[in-house]
Amino acid sequence: MAVMIETRNLTYTYPAPEGETNPPALRDVSVQIEKGSFTVVLGHNGSGKSTFAKHLNAVLLPCGGAVYVDGMDTRDEKLLLEIRRRTGMVFQNPDNQIVANVVEEDVAFGPENLGVPTEEIRRRVDDALAAVGMEKFAHHAPHLLSGGQKQRIAIARVFLKNPPILILDEATSALDNESEILVGQSLEKLAHGRTTL
Ligand code: ADP
Ligand code: MG
C-alpha cells in the first residue's frame, strides 16, 4: 500500500512570549498512514491532536523532523498549493468555517470548483448535501442554522472537494448521534473510492 502521509521525528513548539519557553506540543512523532486507511488519533485535551492535524496540510510547519504529504515535504513552499489541493480539513468549531450567505453556495465554494460546469456543480452539491442529510436546507442562510447543522455543511464542502486526504479535527463533536452515523457512512463510501456519495 502507498504511504499518503508520513511524519519523521516531527517536533513542534509554539512560539512563546519573550523570555519564556513553551514545552514542545509534539515531540519526535513518527507515523506512516496508508492510502485508503482510516486513522484515529486519540488523546486527552492538550495532548497535541490539533497541532498534529495542522501539520498535515501545512498550516503549521515542523520545528524539527519532517512531514511528507503524498511524498511532498510540507516545508517546501513551492508545494504548498499542491498539498492544500490534496487535503480537506474540517475543524471542531463550525462558526469560522462558513463563507457564503446561502447553504448551497457555501458548499460549492472553493477554487477547485472554478471552471466546473454548472450542472456538474449542481449534482455534486446535491450529492454532498444528501450525504450529510442537509438537502432540505440548500437555500437557507448558513448563519441561521444550528451548530450541528453548520458543521454538516462544512463536512459537505469537503465531501464535494473530494480530496484524497481528509483531516477531521473533532469534526463530529457538535453533531447528534444520528448525524454522526450518517457522516461516518459517507466517509466510508469516500474512502472506498466512490466518486459519488
Ligand atoms: P489537543 O488538540 O489534543 O487538545 P492541541 O494540539 O490543541 O491539543 O494542544 C497541544 C499543546 O499546545 C497544549 O499544551 C496547548 O496548550 C498548546 N497550544 C495549542 N495551541 C497553541 C497556541 N496557538 N499557542 C501556544 N500554545 C498552544
Ligand atoms: Mg484539538
Side-chain angles (χ1 to χ4, degrees):
M1 263 293 192
V3 173
M4 270 310 243
I5 286 176
E6 179 169 10
T7 68
R8 286 189 208 152
N9 302 102
L10 167 61
T11 297
Y12 184 80
T13 306
Y14 284 97
E18 261 312 292
E20 291 174 36
T21 45
N22 283 327
L26 298 173
R27 185 187 292 139
D28 271 336
V29 180
S30 298
V31 294
Q32 289 193 334
I33 299 177
E34 289 182 351
K35 191 173 180 182
S37 67
F38 282 91
T39 300
V40 178
V41 178
L42 296 173
H44 54 74
N45 267 349
S47 61
K49 304 181 296 292
S50 296
T51 307
F52 177 74
K54 286 174 188 158
H55 276 84
L56 306 184
N57 64 349
V59 167
L60 293 178
L61 299 176
C63 298
V67 176
Y68 299 92
V69 175
D70 204 4
M72 296 180 286
D73 188 333
T74 60
R75 289 167 306 185
D76 187 343
E77 266 177 49
K78 293 189 298 297
L79 299 174
L80 185 63
L81 275 182
E82 201 47 51
I83 288 169
R84 295 272 166 86
R85 203 169 284 152
R86 252 161 246 228
T87 51
M89 185 148 179
V90 182
F91 303 96
Q92 184 171 10
N93 179 355
D95 284 316
N96 48 24
Q97 300 180 66
I98 301 287
V99 292
N101 296 322
V102 183
V103 163
E104 61 181 8
E105 285 171 16
D106 193 84
V107 172
F109 179 84
E112 44 284 314
N113 300 325
L114 291 174
V116 178
T118 315
E119 281 151 48
E120 175 62 14
I121 294 240
R122 173 81 269 154
R123 194 187 60 70
R124 290 196 212 166
V125 167
D126 291 345
D127 266 6
L129 284 174
V132 296
M134 288 293 286
E135 58 272 53
K136 288 197 208 82
F137 295 87
H139 303 289
H140 285 231
H143 65 274
L144 297 179
L145 300 175
S146 73
Q149 288 171 328
K150 280 186 215 167
Q151 191 66 337
R152 286 200 260 168
I153 298 306
I155 293 167
R157 192 182 321 123
V158 293
F159 279 178
L160 186 132
K161 182 180 176 187
N162 197 15
I165 300 166
L166 264 183
I167 306 155
L168 306 170
D169 187 3
E170 303 200 35
T172 59
S173 57
L175 302 188
D176 56 56
N177 261 356
E178 202 181 319
S179 319
E180 194 165 14
I181 290 168
L182 190 69
V183 167
Q185 287 167 344
S186 305
L187 286 173
E188 218 164 311
K189 287 184 201 160
L190 277 184
H192 290 129
R194 299 254 305 257
T195 48
T196 53
L197 295 166

Coordinates of all heavy atoms in Angstrom, one line a residue, residues 29-108:
V29 N 7.4 12.7 16.7 CA 6.3 11.9 16.3 C 6.6 11.3 14.9 O 6.8 12.0 13.9 CB 5.0 12.7 16.2 CG1 3.8 11.8 15.7 CG2 4.7 13.3 17.6
S30 N 6.7 10.0 14.8 CA 6.9 9.3 13.5 C 5.8 8.4 13.2 O 5.5 7.4 13.9 CB 8.2 8.5 13.5 OG 9.3 9.4 13.8
V31 N 5.0 8.7 12.1 CA 3.9 7.8 11.7 C 3.9 7.6 10.2 O 4.4 8.5 9.5 CB 2.5 8.3 12.1 CG1 2.4 8.3 13.6 CG2 2.3 9.7 11.6
Q32 N 3.3 6.5 9.7 CA 3.1 6.4 8.3 C 1.6 6.0 8.2 O 1.1 5.1 8.9 CB 3.9 5.2 7.8 CG 5.4 5.5 7.7 CD 6.1 4.5 6.8 OE1 5.7 3.3 6.7 NE2 7.2 4.9 6.3
I33 N 0.9 6.7 7.3 CA -0.5 6.5 7.1 C -0.7 6.1 5.7 O -0.3 6.8 4.7 CB -1.3 7.8 7.5 CG1 -1.1 8.1 9.0 CG2 -2.8 7.5 7.2 CD1 -1.8 9.3 9.5
E34 N -1.4 4.9 5.5 CA -1.5 4.4 4.2 C -2.7 4.9 3.4 O -3.7 5.2 4.1 CB -1.6 2.8 4.3 CG -0.3 2.2 4.6 CD -0.3 0.7 4.7 OE1 -1.4 0.1 4.6 OE2 0.8 0.1 4.8
K35 N -2.6 4.9 2.1 CA -3.7 5.3 1.3 C -4.9 4.4 1.6 O -4.8 3.2 1.7 CB -3.3 5.1 -0.2 CG -4.2 5.7 -1.2 CD -3.6 5.6 -2.6 CE -4.6 6.3 -3.5 NZ -4.1 6.2 -4.9
G36 N -6.1 5.0 1.6 CA -7.3 4.2 1.8 C -7.6 3.8 3.2 O -8.6 3.2 3.5
S37 N -6.7 4.2 4.2 CA -7.0 3.8 5.5 C -7.7 4.9 6.4 O -7.6 6.1 6.0 CB -5.6 3.5 6.2 OG -4.8 4.6 6.3
F38 N -8.3 4.5 7.4 CA -8.8 5.5 8.4 C -7.8 5.4 9.6 O -7.5 4.4 10.1 CB -10.1 5.0 9.0 CG -11.3 5.2 8.1 CD1 -11.7 4.2 7.2 CD2 -12.0 6.4 8.2 CE1 -12.8 4.4 6.4 CE2 -13.1 6.6 7.4 CZ -13.5 5.6 6.5
T39 N -7.4 6.6 10.0 CA -6.5 6.6 11.2 C -7.1 7.5 12.2 O -7.5 8.7 11.9 CB -5.1 7.1 10.8 OG1 -4.6 6.2 9.8 CG2 -4.2 7.1 12.0
V40 N -7.2 7.1 13.4 CA -7.8 7.9 14.5 C -6.7 8.2 15.5 O -5.9 7.4 15.9 CB -8.9 7.1 15.2 CG1 -9.5 7.9 16.4 CG2 -10.0 6.7 14.3
V41 N -6.7 9.5 15.8 CA -5.7 9.9 16.8 C -6.4 10.2 18.1 O -7.3 11.1 18.1 CB -4.9 11.2 16.3 CG1 -4.0 11.7 17.4 CG2 -4.2 10.9 15.0
L42 N -6.1 9.5 19.2 CA -6.8 9.7 20.5 C -5.8 10.3 21.5 O -4.6 10.1 21.5 CB -7.2 8.3 21.0 CG -8.2 7.5 20.2 CD1 -8.4 6.1 20.8 CD2 -9.5 8.2 20.2
G43 N -6.4 11.1 22.4 CA -5.5 11.7 23.4 C -6.3 12.7 24.2 O -7.3 13.3 23.7
H44 N -5.9 13.0 25.4 CA -6.7 13.9 26.3 C -6.5 15.3 25.7 O -5.6 15.6 24.9 CB -6.3 13.8 27.7 CG -4.8 13.9 28.0 ND1 -4.2 15.1 27.9 CD2 -3.9 12.9 28.2 CE1 -2.9 14.9 28.2 NE2 -2.7 13.6 28.4
N45 N -7.3 16.3 26.3 CA -7.2 17.7 25.9 C -5.8 18.2 26.1 O -5.2 17.9 27.1 CB -8.1 18.5 26.8 CG -9.4 18.7 26.2 OD1 -9.6 18.4 25.0 ND2 -10.3 19.3 27.0
G46 N -5.3 18.8 25.0 CA -3.9 19.4 25.1 C -2.8 18.4 24.8 O -1.6 18.8 25.0
S47 N -3.1 17.3 24.3 CA -2.1 16.3 24.1 C -1.4 16.5 22.7 O -0.5 15.8 22.4 CB -2.6 14.8 24.2 OG -3.7 14.6 23.3
G48 N -2.0 17.4 21.9 CA -1.3 17.7 20.6 C -2.1 17.2 19.4 O -1.5 17.3 18.3
K49 N -3.3 16.8 19.5 CA -4.0 16.2 18.3 C -4.2 17.3 17.2 O -4.0 17.1 16.1 CB -5.4 15.7 18.7 CG -5.3 14.6 19.8 CD -6.7 14.1 20.2 CE -7.6 15.1 20.8 NZ -7.2 15.6 22.1
S50 N -4.7 18.5 17.7 CA -4.9 19.6 16.7 C -3.6 20.1 16.1 O -3.6 20.3 14.9 CB -5.7 20.7 17.3 OG -7.0 20.3 17.7
T51 N -2.6 20.1 16.9 CA -1.3 20.5 16.4 C -0.8 19.6 15.3 O -0.3 20.0 14.3 CB -0.3 20.6 17.6 OG1 -0.8 21.4 18.6 CG2 1.1 21.2 17.2
F52 N -1.0 18.3 15.6 CA -0.6 17.3 14.6 C -1.4 17.4 13.3 O -0.9 17.5 12.2 CB -0.9 15.9 15.3 CG -0.6 14.7 14.3 CD1 0.7 14.4 14.0 CD2 -1.6 14.0 13.7 CE1 1.0 13.3 13.2 CE2 -1.4 13.0 12.9 CZ 0.0 12.6 12.6
A53 N -2.8 17.6 13.5 CA -3.6 17.7 12.3 C -3.2 18.9 11.4 O -3.2 18.8 10.2 CB -5.1 17.9 12.7
K54 N -2.8 20.0 12.1 CA -2.5 21.2 11.3 C -1.1 21.1 10.6 O -0.8 21.9 9.7 CB -2.4 22.4 12.3 CG -3.8 22.9 12.7 CD -3.7 24.0 13.7 CE -5.1 24.3 14.2 NZ -5.0 25.0 15.5
H55 N -0.4 20.0 10.9 CA 0.9 19.8 10.2 C 0.6 19.0 8.9 O 1.4 19.0 8.0 CB 1.9 19.0 11.0 CG 2.7 19.8 11.9 ND1 2.2 20.2 13.2 CD2 3.9 20.4 11.8 CE1 3.2 21.0 13.7 NE2 4.2 21.1 12.9
L56 N -0.6 18.4 8.8 CA -0.9 17.5 7.7 C -1.3 18.3 6.4 O -1.4 17.8 5.3 CB -1.9 16.5 8.0 CG -1.5 15.6 9.3 CD1 -2.6 14.5 9.5 CD2 -0.1 15.0 9.1
N57 N -1.7 19.6 6.6 CA -2.0 20.4 5.4 C -1.2 21.7 5.5 O -1.5 22.7 4.9 CB -3.5 20.7 5.3 CG -4.0 21.6 6.4 OD1 -3.3 21.7 7.4 ND2 -5.2 22.1 6.3
A58 N 0.0 21.6 6.1 CA 1.0 22.7 6.1 C 0.4 24.0 6.7 O 0.9 25.1 6.4 CB 1.5 22.9 4.7
V59 N -0.5 23.9 7.6 CA -0.9 25.1 8.3 C 0.2 25.4 9.4 O 0.5 26.6 9.6 CB -2.3 24.9 9.0 CG1 -2.6 26.0 10.0 CG2 -3.4 24.9 8.0
L60 N 0.7 24.4 9.9 CA 1.9 24.5 10.8 C 3.1 23.8 10.1 O 2.8 22.7 9.5 CB 1.6 23.9 12.2 CG 0.6 24.7 13.1 CD1 0.5 23.9 14.4 CD2 1.0 26.1 13.3
L61 N 4.3 24.3 10.3 CA 5.4 23.6 9.7 C 6.3 23.1 10.9 O 6.4 23.8 11.9 CB 6.2 24.6 8.9 CG 5.4 25.1 7.7 CD1 6.3 26.2 6.9 CD2 5.0 24.0 6.7
P62 N 7.0 21.9 10.7 CA 7.7 21.4 11.8 C 8.9 22.3 12.3 O 9.5 23.0 11.5 CB 8.4 20.1 11.1 CG 7.6 19.9 9.9 CD 7.0 21.1 9.5
C63 N 9.1 22.2 13.6 CA 10.3 22.9 14.1 C 11.5 21.9 14.0 O 12.7 22.3 13.8 CB 10.2 23.2 15.6 SG 8.9 24.4 15.9
G64 N 11.2 20.6 14.1 CA 12.2 19.6 13.9 C 11.6 18.4 13.2 O 10.4 18.2 13.2
G65 N 12.4 17.6 12.5 CA 11.8 16.5 11.7 C 11.1 17.0 10.5 O 11.3 18.1 10.0
A66 N 10.2 16.1 9.9 CA 9.6 16.5 8.6 C 8.3 15.8 8.5 O 8.0 14.8 9.2 CB 10.5 16.0 7.5
V67 N 7.4 16.4 7.6 CA 6.1 15.9 7.3 C 6.1 15.7 5.8 O 6.4 16.7 5.1 CB 5.0 16.8 7.8 CG1 3.6 16.3 7.3 CG2 5.0 16.9 9.3
Y68 N 5.7 14.6 5.3 CA 5.5 14.4 3.9 C 4.1 14.0 3.5 O 3.5 13.1 4.1 CB 6.4 13.2 3.4 CG 7.9 13.5 3.6 CD1 8.5 13.1 4.8 CD2 8.6 14.2 2.7 CE1 9.8 13.4 5.0 CE2 9.9 14.5 2.9 CZ 10.5 14.1 4.1 OH 11.8 14.4 4.4
V69 N 3.5 14.8 2.6 CA 2.1 14.5 2.2 C 2.1 14.0 0.8 O 2.6 14.8 -0.1 CB 1.2 15.8 2.3 CG1 -0.2 15.6 1.8 CG2 1.2 16.3 3.8
D70 N 1.8 12.8 0.6 CA 1.9 12.1 -0.7 C 3.3 12.4 -1.3 O 3.5 12.7 -2.4 CB 0.8 12.7 -1.7 CG 0.5 11.7 -2.8 OD1 1.1 10.6 -2.8 OD2 -0.3 12.1 -3.7
G71 N 4.3 12.2 -0.4 CA 5.7 12.4 -0.8 C 6.2 13.8 -0.8 O 7.4 14.0 -1.0
M72 N 5.3 14.8 -0.6 CA 5.7 16.2 -0.7 C 6.1 16.7 0.7 O 5.3 16.7 1.6 CB 4.6 17.0 -1.3 CG 4.3 16.6 -2.7 SD 3.0 17.6 -3.5 CE 1.6 17.0 -2.7
D73 N 7.3 17.3 0.8 CA 7.8 17.9 2.0 C 7.0 19.2 2.3 O 7.0 20.1 1.5 CB 9.3 18.2 1.9 CG 9.9 18.6 3.2 OD1 9.2 19.2 4.0 OD2 11.1 18.4 3.3
T74 N 6.3 19.3 3.5 CA 5.4 20.4 3.7 C 6.3 21.7 3.9 O 5.7 22.8 3.8 CB 4.5 20.3 5.0 OG1 5.4 20.0 6.1 CG2 3.6 19.1 4.8
R75 N 7.6 21.6 4.1 CA 8.4 22.8 4.3 C 8.7 23.5 2.9 O 9.3 24.6 2.9 CB 9.7 22.5 5.0 CG 9.4 22.2 6.5 CD 10.7 21.6 7.1 NE 11.1 20.4 6.4 CZ 12.1 19.6 6.7 NH1 12.7 19.8 7.8 NH2 12.4 18.6 6.0
D76 N 8.5 22.7 1.8 CA 8.8 23.3 0.5 C 7.6 24.2 0.0 O 6.6 23.7 -0.3 CB 9.0 22.1 -0.4 CG 9.5 22.6 -1.8 OD1 9.4 23.8 -2.1 OD2 10.0 21.7 -2.5
E77 N 7.9 25.5 0.1 CA 6.8 26.5 -0.3 C 6.2 26.2 -1.6 O 5.0 26.5 -1.9 CB 7.4 27.9 -0.2 CG 7.2 28.6 1.1 CD 7.9 30.0 1.1 OE1 7.6 30.7 0.1 OE2 8.7 30.2 2.0
K78 N 7.0 25.8 -2.5 CA 6.5 25.6 -3.9 C 5.5 24.5 -4.0 O 4.7 24.4 -4.9 CB 7.7 25.1 -4.8 CG 8.8 26.2 -5.1 CD 9.7 25.8 -6.1 CE 10.6 24.5 -5.8 NZ 11.4 24.6 -4.7
L79 N 5.4 23.6 -3.0 CA 4.5 22.5 -3.0 C 3.2 22.8 -2.2 O 2.3 22.0 -2.2 CB 5.1 21.3 -2.4 CG 6.4 20.8 -3.1 CD1 7.0 19.6 -2.4 CD2 6.0 20.3 -4.5
L80 N 3.1 24.0 -1.6 CA 2.0 24.4 -0.7 C 0.6 24.2 -1.4 O -0.3 23.5 -0.9 CB 2.2 25.8 -0.2 CG 1.1 26.2 0.9 CD1 1.2 25.3 2.1 CD2 1.3 27.6 1.3
L81 N 0.5 24.8 -2.6 CA -0.8 24.7 -3.3 C -1.2 23.2 -3.6 O -2.3 22.8 -3.4 CB -0.8 25.5 -4.6 CG -1.1 26.9 -4.5 CD1 -1.0 27.6 -5.9 CD2 -2.4 27.2 -3.8
E82 N -0.2 22.5 -4.0 CA -0.4 21.1 -4.3 C -0.8 20.3 -3.1 O -1.7 19.4 -3.1 CB 0.8 20.5 -5.0 CG 0.6 19.3 -5.8 CD -0.5 19.4 -6.8 OE1 -0.6 20.4 -7.6 OE2 -1.4 18.5 -6.8
I83 N -0.2 20.6 -2.0 CA -0.5 19.9 -0.7 C -2.0 20.3 -0.3 O -2.8 19.4 0.1 CB 0.5 20.3 0.4 CG1 1.8 19.6 0.1 CG2 0.0 19.9 1.8 CD1 3.0 20.0 0.9
R84 N -2.3 21.6 -0.4 CA -3.6 22.0 0.0 C -4.7 21.4 -0.9 O -5.8 21.2 -0.5 CB -3.7 23.5 0.0 CG -2.8 24.2 1.0 CD -3.5 24.4 2.3 NE -2.6 24.7 3.4 CZ -2.1 26.0 3.6 NH1 -2.6 27.0 2.9 NH2 -1.3 26.2 4.6
R85 N -4.3 21.2 -2.2 CA -5.3 20.6 -3.1 C -5.6 19.2 -2.7 O -6.7 18.7 -3.0 CB -4.7 20.7 -4.5 CG -5.7 20.6 -5.6 CD -5.0 21.0 -6.9 NE -4.7 22.4 -7.1 CZ -3.7 22.9 -7.8 NH1 -2.9 22.1 -8.4 NH2 -3.5 24.2 -7.9
R86 N -4.7 18.5 -2.1 CA -4.8 17.1 -1.8 C -5.5 16.9 -0.5 O -5.7 15.8 -0.1 CB -3.5 16.5 -1.8 CG -3.3 15.6 -3.0 CD -1.8 15.3 -3.1 NE -1.4 15.9 -4.4 CZ -0.7 15.4 -5.3 NH1 -0.3 14.2 -5.1 NH2 -0.4 16.0 -6.4
T87 N -5.7 18.0 0.3 CA -6.2 17.8 1.6 C -7.5 18.6 1.9 O -7.6 19.7 1.3 CB -5.1 18.2 2.7 OG1 -4.7 19.5 2.4 CG2 -3.9 17.3 2.8
G88 N -8.4 18.1 2.6 CA -9.5 18.8 3.1 C -9.6 18.7 4.6 O -9.4 17.6 5.1
M89 N -9.9 19.8 5.2 CA -9.8 19.8 6.7 C -11.1 20.4 7.2 O -11.6 21.4 6.8 CB -8.7 20.6 7.2 CG -8.5 20.6 8.6 SD -6.7 20.7 9.0 CE -6.8 20.7 10.8
V90 N -11.7 19.7 8.2 CA -12.8 20.2 8.9 C -12.5 20.3 10.4 O -11.9 19.4 11.0 CB -14.1 19.3 8.8 CG1 -15.3 19.9 9.5 CG2 -14.4 19.0 7.4
F91 N -12.8 21.5 11.0 CA -12.4 21.8 12.4 C -13.6 21.5 13.3 O -14.7 21.3 12.8 CB -12.0 23.2 12.5 CG -10.8 23.6 11.7 CD1 -11.0 24.2 10.4 CD2 -9.5 23.3 12.1 CE1 -9.9 24.5 9.6 CE2 -8.4 23.6 11.3 CZ -8.7 24.3 10.0
Q92 N -13.3 21.6 14.5 CA -14.4 21.4 15.5 C -15.4 22.5 15.6 O -16.6 22.3 15.7 CB -13.7 21.3 16.9 CG -14.6 21.0 18.0 CD -13.8 20.7 19.3 OE1 -12.6 21.0 19.4 NE2 -14.4 20.2 20.3
N93 N -15.0 23.8 15.4 CA -15.9 24.9 15.5 C -16.4 25.3 14.2 O -15.7 25.8 13.3 CB -15.1 26.1 16.2 CG -16.0 27.3 16.3 OD1 -17.2 27.3 15.9 ND2 -15.5 28.3 16.9
P94 N -17.8 25.1 14.0 CA -18.3 25.3 12.7 C -18.4 26.8 12.3 O -18.5 27.2 11.2 CB -19.7 24.7 12.7 CG -20.1 24.7 14.2 CD -18.8 24.6 14.9
D95 N -18.4 27.7 13.3 CA -18.7 29.1 13.1 C -17.7 29.8 12.2 O -18.0 30.7 11.5 CB -18.9 29.9 14.4 CG -20.2 29.5 15.0 OD1 -21.2 29.5 14.2 OD2 -20.3 29.3 16.2
N96 N -16.4 29.4 12.3 CA -15.4 30.1 11.4 C -15.2 29.4 10.1 O -14.1 29.5 9.5 CB -14.1 30.3 12.2 CG -13.7 29.1 12.9 OD1 -14.0 28.0 12.5 ND2 -12.9 29.3 14.0
Q97 N -16.1 28.5 9.7 CA -15.9 27.8 8.5 C -17.0 28.1 7.4 O -16.9 27.6 6.3 CB -16.0 26.3 8.8 CG -14.9 25.8 9.8 CD -15.0 24.3 10.1 OE1 -14.8 23.5 9.2 NE2 -15.4 24.0 11.3
I98 N -17.9 29.1 7.8 CA -18.9 29.5 6.8 C -18.4 30.6 5.9 O -17.8 31.6 6.5 CB -20.2 29.9 7.6 CG1 -20.7 28.8 8.5 CG2 -21.2 30.5 6.6 CD1 -21.4 27.7 7.8
V99 N -18.6 30.5 4.6 CA -18.0 31.5 3.8 C -19.1 32.2 2.9 O -18.8 33.3 2.4 CB -16.9 31.0 2.8 CG1 -15.7 30.6 3.6 CG2 -17.4 29.8 2.0
A100 N -20.3 31.6 2.7 CA -21.3 32.3 1.8 C -22.6 32.5 2.5 O -22.8 32.0 3.7 CB -21.5 31.4 0.6
N101 N -23.5 33.2 1.9 CA -24.8 33.5 2.5 C -25.9 32.5 2.3 O -27.0 32.6 2.9 CB -25.3 34.9 2.0 CG -24.3 36.0 2.5 OD1 -23.8 35.9 3.6 ND2 -24.1 36.9 1.6
V102 N -25.7 31.6 1.4 CA -26.7 30.6 1.1 C -26.0 29.2 1.2 O -24.8 29.1 0.7 CB -27.3 30.7 -0.3 CG1 -28.4 29.7 -0.6 CG2 -27.8 32.2 -0.5
V103 N -26.6 28.3 1.8 CA -26.0 27.0 2.1 C -25.4 26.4 0.8 O -24.2 26.0 0.8 CB -27.0 26.0 2.7 CG1 -26.5 24.5 2.6 CG2 -27.3 26.4 4.2
E104 N -26.1 26.3 -0.3 CA -25.6 25.6 -1.5 C -24.4 26.3 -2.0 O -23.5 25.7 -2.6 CB -26.7 25.4 -2.5 CG -27.3 26.6 -3.1 CD -28.4 26.3 -4.1 OE1 -28.7 25.1 -4.3 OE2 -28.8 27.2 -4.8
E105 N -24.3 27.7 -1.9 CA -23.2 28.4 -2.4 C -22.0 28.1 -1.5 O -20.8 28.0 -1.9 CB -23.5 29.9 -2.4 CG -24.3 30.3 -3.5 CD -24.8 31.7 -3.4 OE1 -24.2 32.5 -2.7 OE2 -25.8 32.1 -4.1
D106 N -22.3 28.0 -0.2 CA -21.2 27.7 0.8 C -20.6 26.4 0.5 O -19.3 26.2 0.5 CB -21.8 27.7 2.2 CG -20.7 27.8 3.2 OD1 -20.2 28.9 3.5 OD2 -20.2 26.7 3.7
V107 N -21.4 25.4 0.2 CA -20.9 24.0 -0.1 C -20.1 24.0 -1.4 O -19.1 23.3 -1.5 CB -22.1 23.0 -0.2 CG1 -21.6 21.7 -0.6 CG2 -22.7 22.9 1.2
A108 N -20.5 24.8 -2.4 CA -19.8 24.8 -3.7 C -18.6 25.6 -3.7 O -17.8 25.6 -4.6 CB -20.8 25.3 -4.8

